[in-house]
Amino acid sequence: MKGTYLGEFEEVVLLAVAIRAGDAYGAAVVNEIEQQMGRSVNLGAVHSALNRLQEKGLVSSEMGGMTAERGGRRKRLYTVTAYGKRVLEEVRQLRNQMWDAIPRTAWS
């Protein structure tokens, strides 16, 4: 398993997988990020991030059923693991801690 360092883009992809619970495949993750963040995202970059997240044990995947809309091809569906959830919670806590540590005078 790779290290647990979570880059910004990996964090965004992991959050999108969590939001799309049960329906997180490459194109859906791209759409979720674009909708949530208002920025375009490359499908190849998302697939690379999903592979890294899986190597780190933060997501797991399985093949879904064949769909007519995809010409009978199957989708690889991603799910956040318990470890991935814990890492997201730690990142959130760290960010909140840092925001709370900013002195009020820093904004004036």
Side-chain angles (χ1 to χ4, degrees):
M1 181 184 313
K2 282 191 169 183
T4 57
Y5 175 77
L6 190 62
E8 181 204 359
F9 189 66
E10 290 176 340
E11 179 185 349
V12 167
V13 171
L14 188 56
L15 286 167
V17 170
I19 291 168
R20 301 289 304 204
D23 189 37
Y25 57 95
V29 171
V30 167
N31 291 338
E32 190 64 42
I33 293 170
E34 290 179 345
Q35 182 181 356
Q36 293 284 338
M37 301 187 73
R39 75 182 206 196
S40 64
V41 178
N42 181 290
L43 179 61
V46 167
H47 278 292
S48 293
L50 287 168
N51 287 335
R52 288 193 305 275
L53 292 170
Q54 189 159 5
E55 288 174 5
K56 293 178 181 180
L58 302 173
V59 298
S60 61
S61 71
E62 63 183 23
M63 295 304 292
M66 292 184 284
T67 61
E69 69 178 309
R70 294 175 43 90
R73 291 181 299 147
R74 301 168 69 187
K75 299 174 187 172
R76 178 166 294 280
L77 300 170
Y78 293 88
T79 305
V80 177
T81 63
Y83 178 55
K85 180 182 176 195
R86 192 170 70 237
V87 168
L88 276 176
E89 289 170 345
E90 289 171 4
V91 167
R92 182 180 191 176
Q93 182 180 1
L94 177 62
R95 288 181 188 270
N96 288 342
Q97 179 182 319
M98 292 181 74
W99 273 99
D100 292 344
I102 298 173
R104 291 186 189 275
T105 56
W107 302 121
S108 53

